[in-house]
Amino acid sequence: FGLWPAAGTLLAISAVAVFVVLQIPSVLAPIVPMSWEKKLGDALVGDFGGRFCDTAQGKAALAKLTRSLDDNPQDLQVEVANIDMLNAVALPGGKVLLFQGLLSQAKSPDEVAGVLAHEIGHVRERHVMQGLLRQMGLAVVLGGFDGSGGSTLNSLLSTTYTRDSEREADEHSLAAMKRSEISPVGTADFFRRLEGELDRTGEF
């Protein structure tokens, strides 16, 4: 067969294998039943160590904002985590966490709307499941965590999405805000104010 043809064939096979591995999450994520993903989310997050904010006024305001940004808010669980972090994350099972440190910097609901809509976009586009499959593999999705739920959650909290996923979440956010007649200017101003904190902490 010859050395160079063999090397070329091996290189081609390796390239195809890498491509398949990278594409598997985006192919499999949409066909994972939401009921499975919800069970994963419940097992991972629970009550987040009792750190969810639970004031009636705050929950009502958050529910109202969520309803304005999504047509099926009953599929979502949006919570505020009482942690001083400039961050917001989407987790399996339609869960979205906004951290208190982020909200404390906001001056109006409009400023938070873009952040929330962006994270909802990750949920609706199944980016969360893609990230889980990419980091943990199919075995975790099908077989559970074997006592490693805490480390899995930590990994998800630090998940970075692909450029395409971030673009899709941004597009979802802009469309949701347009439907709700919420100006994106507030969110843009919010991000500008957070730039200093972003440089300092590396979060969000």
Side-chain angles (χ1 to χ4, degrees), residues 6-16:
T9 301
L10 181 60
L11 180 61
I13 292 173
S14 299
V16 170

Side-chain angles (χ1 to χ4, degrees), residues 69 110 113-114 117 173-184 187:
L69 293 170
D110 284 3
S173 176
L174 290 171
M177 295 175 72
K178 183 177 181 179
R179 288 195 307 270
S180 302
E181 298 182 347
I182 298 175
S183 171
T187 301

